[in-house]
Structure formats: C-alpha cells, structure tokens
Amino acid sequence: MDVKASFLFCRAALRGGLKPGSRVVLISSGAAFSGGPPNSGGYSGAKRMQLFLAAHSQKEADRLGLGLRFMALAPMRIMAGTGVGQRGISSVSAYLGISPADFLASMTDMQTPADVASAVVALAAGKMQGTGFTVSGSGLAAAA
C-alpha cells in the first residue's frame, strides 16, 4: 500500500495542482538499503521502490518544467515508541527468538520520531540536493 499511495500521490503532483517550488517527501525505510527484517517478505523491495519513484518523478517534473521537487526519506532503524515500530520490534524479536529488549540493545545509531520530523522539515525547506535521503541518530544524509 505504501508504494501504491506514493505512486498515486506523485502521479497527482505531476498532473498538476502544485505550485512551482512545491516539495513532495515520500517516507520510505532503511529496509530499502539493508534488506529489511528477516520476516518481512517484500517489504524491503517496496521501500526501495519509493526511492526509485522519487527519482523518476523528479526526472519527469524536470522534463515537464513543473518546478517541483521530489524526495524520499528512509529512517534507518525501527523506532521504539511508535505503533508501527513496537509491532515491528515484537515481530522481529519473536522471529529471532530473543526478547524485544535484547533486540533493541543490538541496534545502534537509532533515530527518534523527532529526528525524522526534523529531517522532513529540512527536506521541505530545500536544504539538501538529491532525491534519496536517510535519517539516523547521526542525522540527515544523502542516500548512497
């Protein structure tokens, strides 16, 4: 559903209605780079597709002279303290046969929801060039 929603949103933006200078930020996942959780099925591929979609939409906006900016942001770690994060932590730790606390203890450089919010604001403000970005506890960076 994330890819479909991202596609429909980008398509609508490319078809008109947004003023030149508008920015579209898709939220992806670090699974796009890491292969994702071991029990995730096609999740990591879907999240990678959002990065491809932002890049393709940017090329199309440039070709059409729309003056739009498309970007995808991938938080690099699962986030404790969020509904989706807590379900993911429970699922992955159960799959691995370890406690949620041990799973979390094995992770480093974790971003917070506030880190993600700050990254979205920075991207919306146009402070970085490119279409793919990551955010971790270390901050916002262009995706490799």
Side-chain angles (χ1 to χ4, degrees), residues 20-105:
S22 295
R23 291 170 173 81
V24 176
V25 180
L26 306 177
I27 304 296
S28 181
S29 166
F33 301 100
S34 67
N39 60 338
S40 68
Y43 179 76
S44 60
K47 292 302 174 178
R48 188 68 179 190
M49 184 59 204
Q50 290 177 295
L51 278 92
F52 293 142
L53 183 59
H56 172 77
S57 296
Q58 185 62 60
K59 288 178 189 173
E60 195 63 8
D62 292 345
R63 185 183 73 81
L64 295 170
L66 299 176
L68 303 178
R69 178 93 191 280
F70 290 84
M71 298 160 278
L73 176 65
M76 293 304 290
R77 302 285 183 267
I78 199 165
M79 282 189 283
T82 67
V84 171
Q86 288 305 125
R87 285 189 292 281
I89 291 163
S90 296
S91 174
V92 173
S93 62
Y95 180 85
L96 295 173
I98 61 175
S99 72
D102 287 343
F103 175 67
L104 284 172

